[in-house]
Amino acid sequence: MVRVLYDGRLAVDIAGIKMKTPVTTASGTFGFGLEFQDFLDLEQVGAATVKGTTLEPRSGNKGQRAVETPSGMLNSVGLENPGADYFLKCTLPDLQKLDVPVIVNIAGSTAEEYGLLAKKLDVEGVDAVEINISCPNVRHGGIAFGTCPLSAAEVVRAVKANTSKPVITKLSPNVTDIVEMALSVEEAGTDALSLINTLVGMKIDIERRSPVLGNVIGGLSGPAVRPIAVRMVYQVAQRVKVPIIGMGGIMNADDAIEFFLAGASAIAVGTANFVDPRLAETISGGILKYLDRHGYRNIQEIIGLALPR
Ligand SMILES: Cc1cc2nc3c(=O)[nH]c(=O)nc-3n(C[C@H](O)[C@H](O)[C@H](O)COP(=O)(O)O)c2cc1C
C-alpha cells in the first residue's frame, strides 16, 4: 500500500512506479537508503534509488575517489558494491519493511551480464530497475554503452527480456546528440528515462604534477552540470513519450521546478545529499509551496510548461 502524502498533490506514476512525491534519490549518492535513516524518513521520499549494483561484488577503484570542484565534485568510485546476492539477502529485506518503492540501479560489462542481473533482481520488493549505461562495453574496446545508440539499445533489450519490472534507462550526457540516444533506447522498449549521469572530467594536482583521482578521470556532478541537465531534459522531453526522471545539480526546490518545467515527471537528488542528507525529504515541501504560490492544484499541471507549444 502506498500511503499518499500532501493530499496526493505531488503523486506521480512513473511507468507503473507509484510515487507519493516526485522526488527520488540519484544512484550512488544515497547508499542503499538505509544509511540515511538517521537523517530523514525514507517513507517521505518518492522512491529510493539505490547504489549501482553488479552481478559480482566489486571493490571499486584504487586511490583517491572524489574531489571537490567549482560548484560540484568529480568522482571515480568504480562501482564499489557488495554484489546482487548480498543486496537481495541482506539489504532488500530491510528496504521492504518500508513504504517506499525501491529502484535498483544496475551495471555490467556486457549486454548478457545486464540481462542476468535483471533476471536475478526480478523479485518481490524490487519495484523497478534503472540501467546505468555509462559503463565500458568490454566487447567494444571499453567504449561506454551510453555513448553508442546501438549498444545502449542492446542493453535495454537484454534487460527487458529478463524482467517483469519497469525499466528506466539512465542516459549519459557524454554524447553529441542526447535525443538520438533517447530515441534509440525508447525504441528498444525502455519504460522511462533518467538523465543525466555525470560528465567526464579530471583534475590535476599541480604540486604533485599528477592527476588527483586514482582513476585519472572521473564524473563531474553538482550545480555546475545543472544547465546541461536542464537543456538535455528539455530536448529529450520534446521527442519521447516515456516519462523522464530529471537530475543533475539539484540543490533545492527551485532547481527541481526547472526540471519539471523542462518536461521531467520526477526528479532525483544526487550530490546535494552529501551537503544536506535531509534534502530528498524536505525538497517536497518547497515544491508544494511553489504550486501554492502559483495556484496549481498538483504537480502534473506544471510538467513541461516551459516546452515550446
Ligand atoms: C559519488 C557518486 C556516485 C555515483 N554512482 C552512480 C552509480 O552507481 N550509478 C549511476 O547510474 N549513477 C551514479 N552517479 C551519478 C548520479 O546518480 C547522478 O546521475 C549525477 O551525479 C548527476 O546528479 P547530481 O549532480 O545531482 O549529483 C554517481 C554520482 C556520484 C556523485
mmCIF file of all heavy atoms in Angstrom, residues 138-178:
data_model
loop_
_atom_site.group_PDB
_atom_site.id
_atom_site.type_symbol
_atom_site.label_atom_id
_atom_site.label_comp_id
_atom_site.label_asym_id
_atom_site.label_seq_id
_atom_site.Cartn_x
_atom_site.Cartn_y
_atom_site.Cartn_z
ATOM 1 N N VAL A 138 32.917 -4.185 -22.663
ATOM 2 C CA VAL A 138 34.183 -4.903 -22.874
ATOM 3 C C VAL A 138 34.279 -5.493 -24.284
ATOM 4 O O VAL A 138 35.368 -5.699 -24.813
ATOM 5 C CB VAL A 138 34.428 -6.018 -21.816
ATOM 6 C CG1 VAL A 138 34.668 -5.425 -20.462
ATOM 7 C CG2 VAL A 138 33.313 -7.039 -21.788
ATOM 8 N N ARG A 139 33.137 -5.758 -24.915
ATOM 9 C CA ARG A 139 33.158 -6.325 -26.289
ATOM 10 C C ARG A 139 33.481 -5.260 -27.336
ATOM 11 O O ARG A 139 33.749 -5.578 -28.478
ATOM 12 C CB ARG A 139 31.785 -6.911 -26.639
ATOM 13 C CG ARG A 139 31.357 -8.009 -25.724
ATOM 14 C CD ARG A 139 31.392 -9.377 -26.429
ATOM 15 N NE ARG A 139 31.267 -10.416 -25.440
ATOM 16 C CZ ARG A 139 30.109 -10.814 -24.943
ATOM 17 N NH1 ARG A 139 29.001 -10.292 -25.392
ATOM 18 N NH2 ARG A 139 30.071 -11.753 -24.027
ATOM 19 N N HIS A 140 33.387 -4.001 -26.969
ATOM 20 C CA HIS A 140 33.651 -2.936 -27.948
ATOM 21 C C HIS A 140 34.724 -1.993 -27.446
ATOM 22 O O HIS A 140 34.541 -0.780 -27.386
ATOM 23 C CB HIS A 140 32.357 -2.175 -28.295
ATOM 24 C CG HIS A 140 31.432 -2.953 -29.159
ATOM 25 N ND1 HIS A 140 30.416 -3.711 -28.651
ATOM 26 C CD2 HIS A 140 31.407 -3.140 -30.511
ATOM 27 C CE1 HIS A 140 29.786 -4.323 -29.646
ATOM 28 N NE2 HIS A 140 30.376 -3.991 -30.782
ATOM 29 N N GLY A 141 35.837 -2.580 -27.056
ATOM 30 C CA GLY A 141 37.024 -1.798 -26.684
ATOM 31 C C GLY A 141 36.818 -0.866 -25.512
ATOM 32 O O GLY A 141 37.526 0.130 -25.377
ATOM 33 N N GLY A 142 35.850 -1.160 -24.661
ATOM 34 C CA GLY A 142 35.666 -0.358 -23.460
ATOM 35 C C GLY A 142 34.926 0.948 -23.681
ATOM 36 O O GLY A 142 34.805 1.763 -22.778
ATOM 37 N N ILE A 143 34.383 1.137 -24.885
ATOM 38 C CA ILE A 143 33.591 2.363 -25.135
ATOM 39 C C ILE A 143 32.263 2.225 -24.399
ATOM 40 O O ILE A 143 31.598 1.185 -24.492
ATOM 41 C CB ILE A 143 33.354 2.563 -26.649
ATOM 42 C CG1 ILE A 143 34.707 2.776 -27.346
ATOM 43 C CG2 ILE A 143 32.426 3.747 -26.915
ATOM 44 C CD1 ILE A 143 34.645 2.715 -28.843
ATOM 45 N N ALA A 144 31.875 3.252 -23.667
ATOM 46 C CA ALA A 144 30.673 3.157 -22.838
ATOM 47 C C ALA A 144 29.428 2.843 -23.673
ATOM 48 O O ALA A 144 29.250 3.404 -24.757
ATOM 49 C CB ALA A 144 30.477 4.454 -22.064
ATOM 50 N N PHE A 145 28.582 1.942 -23.161
ATOM 51 C CA PHE A 145 27.315 1.613 -23.829
ATOM 52 C C PHE A 145 26.531 2.896 -24.115
ATOM 53 O O PHE A 145 25.896 3.030 -25.140
ATOM 54 C CB PHE A 145 26.449 0.724 -22.916
ATOM 55 C CG PHE A 145 26.982 -0.655 -22.704
ATOM 56 C CD1 PHE A 145 27.701 -0.974 -21.562
ATOM 57 C CD2 PHE A 145 26.742 -1.650 -23.634
ATOM 58 C CE1 PHE A 145 28.174 -2.252 -21.357
ATOM 59 C CE2 PHE A 145 27.213 -2.936 -23.437
ATOM 60 C CZ PHE A 145 27.945 -3.244 -22.292
ATOM 61 N N GLY A 146 26.613 3.801 -23.151
ATOM 62 C CA GLY A 146 25.789 5.008 -23.194
ATOM 63 C C GLY A 146 26.201 6.029 -24.226
ATOM 64 O O GLY A 146 25.530 7.055 -24.386
ATOM 65 N N THR A 147 27.312 5.780 -24.943
ATOM 66 C CA THR A 147 27.711 6.738 -25.972
ATOM 67 C C THR A 147 27.452 6.182 -27.373
ATOM 68 O O THR A 147 27.801 6.817 -28.363
ATOM 69 C CB THR A 147 29.202 7.137 -25.840
ATOM 70 O OG1 THR A 147 29.987 5.949 -25.924
ATOM 71 C CG2 THR A 147 29.468 7.835 -24.523
ATOM 72 N N CYS A 148 26.872 4.998 -27.450
ATOM 73 C CA CYS A 148 26.588 4.379 -28.753
ATOM 74 C C CYS A 148 25.123 3.945 -28.771
ATOM 75 O O CYS A 148 24.719 3.084 -27.978
ATOM 76 C CB CYS A 148 27.519 3.182 -28.954
ATOM 77 S SG CYS A 148 26.999 2.110 -30.299
ATOM 78 N N PRO A 149 24.303 4.524 -29.651
ATOM 79 C CA PRO A 149 22.865 4.206 -29.648
ATOM 80 C C PRO A 149 22.571 2.716 -29.801
ATOM 81 O O PRO A 149 21.665 2.190 -29.156
ATOM 82 C CB PRO A 149 22.328 4.994 -30.849
ATOM 83 C CG PRO A 149 23.342 6.029 -31.149
ATOM 84 C CD PRO A 149 24.663 5.527 -30.676
ATOM 85 N N LEU A 150 23.371 2.020 -30.637
ATOM 86 C CA LEU A 150 23.092 0.594 -30.861
ATOM 87 C C LEU A 150 23.427 -0.241 -29.629
ATOM 88 O O LEU A 150 22.673 -1.135 -29.232
ATOM 89 C CB LEU A 150 23.867 0.078 -32.085
ATOM 90 C CG LEU A 150 23.441 0.702 -33.411
ATOM 91 C CD1 LEU A 150 24.273 0.154 -34.566
ATOM 92 C CD2 LEU A 150 21.950 0.469 -33.665
ATOM 93 N N SER A 151 24.580 0.048 -28.995
ATOM 94 C CA SER A 151 24.965 -0.708 -27.791
ATOM 95 C C SER A 151 23.980 -0.448 -26.666
ATOM 96 O O SER A 151 23.611 -1.355 -25.911
ATOM 97 C CB SER A 151 26.360 -0.300 -27.298
ATOM 98 O OG SER A 151 27.310 -0.444 -28.294
ATOM 99 N N ALA A 152 23.545 0.793 -26.537
ATOM 100 C CA ALA A 152 22.600 1.136 -25.471
ATOM 101 C C ALA A 152 21.284 0.384 -25.681
ATOM 102 O O ALA A 152 20.720 -0.190 -24.745
ATOM 103 C CB ALA A 152 22.357 2.644 -25.452
ATOM 104 N N ALA A 153 20.839 0.327 -26.928
ATOM 105 C CA ALA A 153 19.587 -0.374 -27.234
ATOM 106 C C ALA A 153 19.721 -1.868 -26.950
ATOM 107 O O ALA A 153 18.786 -2.509 -26.462
ATOM 108 C CB ALA A 153 19.215 -0.135 -28.699
ATOM 109 N N GLU A 154 20.904 -2.407 -27.236
ATOM 110 C CA GLU A 154 21.141 -3.843 -26.998
ATOM 111 C C GLU A 154 20.993 -4.158 -25.504
ATOM 112 O O GLU A 154 20.392 -5.162 -25.119
ATOM 113 C CB GLU A 154 22.572 -4.167 -27.479
ATOM 114 C CG GLU A 154 22.870 -5.628 -27.602
ATOM 115 C CD GLU A 154 24.360 -5.878 -27.882
ATOM 116 O OE1 GLU A 154 25.097 -4.913 -28.229
ATOM 117 O OE2 GLU A 154 24.782 -7.035 -27.730
ATOM 118 N N VAL A 155 21.522 -3.284 -24.663
ATOM 119 C CA VAL A 155 21.418 -3.483 -23.210
ATOM 120 C C VAL A 155 19.952 -3.413 -22.776
ATOM 121 O O VAL A 155 19.473 -4.248 -21.999
ATOM 122 C CB VAL A 155 22.248 -2.428 -22.439
ATOM 123 C CG1 VAL A 155 21.993 -2.528 -20.944
ATOM 124 C CG2 VAL A 155 23.724 -2.597 -22.727
ATOM 125 N N VAL A 156 19.240 -2.438 -23.300
ATOM 126 C CA VAL A 156 17.826 -2.279 -22.913
ATOM 127 C C VAL A 156 17.037 -3.526 -23.298
ATOM 128 O O VAL A 156 16.242 -4.050 -22.510
ATOM 129 C CB VAL A 156 17.222 -1.006 -23.558
ATOM 130 C CG1 VAL A 156 15.719 -0.927 -23.300
ATOM 131 C CG2 VAL A 156 17.916 0.238 -23.019
ATOM 132 N N ARG A 157 17.297 -4.039 -24.498
ATOM 133 C CA ARG A 157 16.559 -5.245 -24.931
ATOM 134 C C ARG A 157 16.896 -6.431 -24.032
ATOM 135 O O ARG A 157 16.012 -7.207 -23.653
ATOM 136 C CB ARG A 157 16.874 -5.554 -26.399
ATOM 137 C CG ARG A 157 16.066 -4.686 -27.366
ATOM 138 C CD ARG A 157 16.124 -5.238 -28.790
ATOM 139 N NE ARG A 157 17.477 -5.144 -29.320
ATOM 140 C CZ ARG A 157 17.939 -4.083 -29.983
ATOM 141 N NH1 ARG A 157 17.156 -3.054 -30.225
ATOM 142 N NH2 ARG A 157 19.183 -4.068 -30.416
ATOM 143 N N ALA A 158 18.185 -6.551 -23.658
ATOM 144 C CA ALA A 158 18.599 -7.678 -22.800
ATOM 145 C C ALA A 158 17.910 -7.582 -21.437
ATOM 146 O O ALA A 158 17.485 -8.592 -20.863
ATOM 147 C CB ALA A 158 20.127 -7.675 -22.632
ATOM 148 N N VAL A 159 17.773 -6.382 -20.920
ATOM 149 C CA VAL A 159 17.138 -6.202 -19.604
ATOM 150 C C VAL A 159 15.631 -6.446 -19.718
ATOM 151 O O VAL A 159 15.042 -7.186 -18.927
ATOM 152 C CB VAL A 159 17.438 -4.799 -19.031
ATOM 153 C CG1 VAL A 159 16.626 -4.532 -17.765
ATOM 154 C CG2 VAL A 159 18.932 -4.662 -18.735
ATOM 155 N N LYS A 160 15.011 -5.859 -20.731
ATOM 156 C CA LYS A 160 13.559 -6.012 -20.902
ATOM 157 C C LYS A 160 13.163 -7.489 -21.052
ATOM 158 O O LYS A 160 12.112 -7.912 -20.566
ATOM 159 C CB LYS A 160 13.093 -5.240 -22.143
ATOM 160 C CG LYS A 160 12.937 -3.755 -21.943
ATOM 161 C CD LYS A 160 11.809 -3.370 -21.012
ATOM 162 C CE LYS A 160 10.425 -3.595 -21.590
ATOM 163 N NZ LYS A 160 9.363 -3.252 -20.587
ATOM 164 N N ALA A 161 14.023 -8.253 -21.722
ATOM 165 C CA ALA A 161 13.708 -9.667 -21.952
ATOM 166 C C ALA A 161 13.804 -10.485 -20.666
ATOM 167 O O ALA A 161 13.362 -11.633 -20.625
ATOM 168 C CB ALA A 161 14.662 -10.242 -23.005
ATOM 169 N N ASN A 162 14.382 -9.914 -19.637
ATOM 170 C CA ASN A 162 14.650 -10.686 -18.424
ATOM 171 C C ASN A 162 13.989 -10.148 -17.167
ATOM 172 O O ASN A 162 14.347 -10.564 -16.059
ATOM 173 C CB ASN A 162 16.169 -10.768 -18.193
ATOM 174 C CG ASN A 162 16.820 -11.771 -19.120
ATOM 175 O OD1 ASN A 162 16.665 -12.973 -18.930
ATOM 176 N ND2 ASN A 162 17.496 -11.281 -20.139
ATOM 177 N N THR A 163 13.078 -9.207 -17.319
ATOM 178 C CA THR A 163 12.436 -8.672 -16.118
ATOM 179 C C THR A 163 10.960 -8.370 -16.368
ATOM 180 O O THR A 163 10.567 -8.067 -17.500
ATOM 181 C CB THR A 163 13.152 -7.393 -15.622
ATOM 182 O OG1 THR A 163 12.541 -6.978 -14.395
ATOM 183 C CG2 THR A 163 13.089 -6.240 -16.616
ATOM 184 N N SER A 164 10.208 -8.440 -15.289
ATOM 185 C CA SER A 164 8.792 -8.058 -15.369
ATOM 186 C C SER A 164 8.608 -6.652 -14.796
ATOM 187 O O SER A 164 7.505 -6.136 -14.726
ATOM 188 C CB SER A 164 7.955 -9.050 -14.556
ATOM 189 O OG SER A 164 8.371 -9.023 -13.204
ATOM 190 N N LYS A 165 9.716 -6.051 -14.356
ATOM 191 C CA LYS A 165 9.648 -4.729 -13.690
ATOM 192 C C LYS A 165 9.751 -3.603 -14.721
ATOM 193 O O LYS A 165 10.338 -3.785 -15.792
ATOM 194 C CB LYS A 165 10.825 -4.564 -12.711
ATOM 195 C CG LYS A 165 11.045 -5.733 -11.780
ATOM 196 C CD LYS A 165 9.999 -5.794 -10.715
ATOM 197 C CE LYS A 165 10.192 -7.027 -9.839
ATOM 198 N NZ LYS A 165 9.124 -7.202 -8.877
ATOM 199 N N PRO A 166 9.261 -2.405 -14.344
ATOM 200 C CA PRO A 166 9.502 -1.251 -15.213
ATOM 201 C C PRO A 166 11.004 -1.000 -15.352
ATOM 202 O O PRO A 166 11.749 -1.161 -14.377
ATOM 203 C CB PRO A 166 8.843 -0.087 -14.460
ATOM 204 C CG PRO A 166 7.940 -0.706 -13.454
ATOM 205 C CD PRO A 166 8.502 -2.058 -13.136
ATOM 206 N N VAL A 167 11.422 -0.658 -16.554
ATOM 207 C CA VAL A 167 12.840 -0.425 -16.825
ATOM 208 C C VAL A 167 13.079 1.062 -17.120
ATOM 209 O O VAL A 167 12.433 1.644 -17.996
ATOM 210 C CB VAL A 167 13.320 -1.287 -18.014
ATOM 211 C CG1 VAL A 167 14.734 -0.915 -18.439
ATOM 212 C CG2 VAL A 167 13.243 -2.771 -17.657
ATOM 213 N N ILE A 168 13.994 1.640 -16.349
ATOM 214 C CA ILE A 168 14.381 3.041 -16.550
ATOM 215 C C ILE A 168 15.789 3.012 -17.153
ATOM 216 O O ILE A 168 16.654 2.307 -16.636
ATOM 217 C CB ILE A 168 14.448 3.793 -15.201
ATOM 218 C CG1 ILE A 168 13.126 3.669 -14.436
ATOM 219 C CG2 ILE A 168 14.832 5.260 -15.401
ATOM 220 C CD1 ILE A 168 13.248 3.998 -12.948
ATOM 221 N N THR A 169 16.010 3.747 -18.216
ATOM 222 C CA THR A 169 17.370 3.794 -18.764
ATOM 223 C C THR A 169 17.970 5.162 -18.442
ATOM 224 O O THR A 169 17.368 6.205 -18.723
ATOM 225 C CB THR A 169 17.367 3.556 -20.291
ATOM 226 O OG1 THR A 169 16.701 2.325 -20.543
ATOM 227 C CG2 THR A 169 18.790 3.487 -20.832
ATOM 228 N N LYS A 170 19.154 5.115 -17.836
ATOM 229 C CA LYS A 170 19.799 6.358 -17.400
ATOM 230 C C LYS A 170 20.801 6.822 -18.443
ATOM 231 O O LYS A 170 21.808 6.158 -18.694
ATOM 232 C CB LYS A 170 20.495 6.116 -16.058
ATOM 233 C CG LYS A 170 21.165 7.354 -15.512
ATOM 234 C CD LYS A 170 21.329 7.213 -14.044
ATOM 235 C CE LYS A 170 22.069 8.364 -13.443
ATOM 236 N NZ LYS A 170 22.250 8.145 -12.021
ATOM 237 N N LEU A 171 20.521 7.950 -19.053
ATOM 238 C CA LEU A 171 21.341 8.418 -20.167
ATOM 239 C C LEU A 171 22.615 9.115 -19.715
ATOM 240 O O LEU A 171 22.629 9.830 -18.705
ATOM 241 C CB LEU A 171 20.526 9.369 -21.046
ATOM 242 C CG LEU A 171 19.263 8.785 -21.683
ATOM 243 C CD1 LEU A 171 18.592 9.834 -22.575
ATOM 244 C CD2 LEU A 171 19.572 7.522 -22.487
ATOM 245 N N SER A 172 23.660 8.904 -20.516
ATOM 246 C CA SER A 172 24.925 9.594 -20.284
ATOM 247 C C SER A 172 24.924 10.906 -21.058
ATOM 248 O O SER A 172 24.509 10.948 -22.218
ATOM 249 C CB SER A 172 26.080 8.719 -20.796
ATOM 250 O OG SER A 172 27.252 9.501 -20.931
ATOM 251 N N PRO A 173 25.399 11.986 -20.430
ATOM 252 C CA PRO A 173 25.442 13.267 -21.154
ATOM 253 C C PRO A 173 26.669 13.380 -22.063
ATOM 254 O O PRO A 173 26.818 14.380 -22.770
ATOM 255 C CB PRO A 173 25.530 14.285 -20.012
ATOM 256 C CG PRO A 173 26.289 13.563 -18.939
ATOM 257 C CD PRO A 173 25.900 12.109 -19.055
ATOM 258 N N ASN A 174 27.537 12.348 -22.052
ATOM 259 C CA ASN A 174 28.801 12.441 -22.790
ATOM 260 C C ASN A 174 28.620 12.039 -24.254
ATOM 261 O O ASN A 174 29.305 11.157 -24.775
ATOM 262 C CB ASN A 174 29.855 11.570 -22.097
ATOM 263 C CG ASN A 174 30.078 12.022 -20.672
ATOM 264 O OD1 ASN A 174 30.402 13.187 -20.440
ATOM 265 N ND2 ASN A 174 29.879 11.143 -19.725
ATOM 266 N N VAL A 175 27.640 12.671 -24.891
ATOM 267 C CA VAL A 175 27.314 12.367 -26.282
ATOM 268 C C VAL A 175 27.062 13.677 -27.027
ATOM 269 O O VAL A 175 26.789 14.713 -26.408
ATOM 270 C CB VAL A 175 26.033 11.492 -26.385
ATOM 271 C CG1 VAL A 175 26.258 10.114 -25.797
ATOM 272 C CG2 VAL A 175 24.833 12.165 -25.715
ATOM 273 N N THR A 176 27.126 13.593 -28.345
ATOM 274 C CA THR A 176 26.867 14.783 -29.151
ATOM 275 C C THR A 176 25.365 15.031 -29.257
ATOM 276 O O THR A 176 24.909 16.167 -29.220
ATOM 277 C CB THR A 176 27.426 14.588 -30.587
ATOM 278 O OG1 THR A 176 28.710 14.001 -30.472
ATOM 279 C CG2 THR A 176 27.506 15.893 -31.343
ATOM 280 N N ASP A 177 24.601 13.931 -29.368
ATOM 281 C CA ASP A 177 23.165 14.077 -29.610
ATOM 282 C C ASP A 177 22.371 13.246 -28.596
ATOM 283 O O ASP A 177 22.153 12.051 -28.792
ATOM 284 C CB ASP A 177 22.861 13.622 -31.047
ATOM 285 C CG ASP A 177 21.425 13.897 -31.446
ATOM 286 O OD1 ASP A 177 20.613 14.252 -30.569
ATOM 287 O OD2 ASP A 177 21.118 13.742 -32.648
ATOM 288 N N ILE A 178 21.921 13.895 -27.538
ATOM 289 C CA ILE A 178 21.207 13.183 -26.469
ATOM 290 C C ILE A 178 19.855 12.661 -26.968
ATOM 291 O O ILE A 178 19.387 11.602 -26.526
ATOM 292 C CB ILE A 178 21.042 14.096 -25.216
ATOM 293 C CG1 ILE A 178 20.599 13.290 -23.987
ATOM 294 C CG2 ILE A 178 20.090 15.250 -25.468
ATOM 295 C CD1 ILE A 178 21.632 12.420 -23.374
#
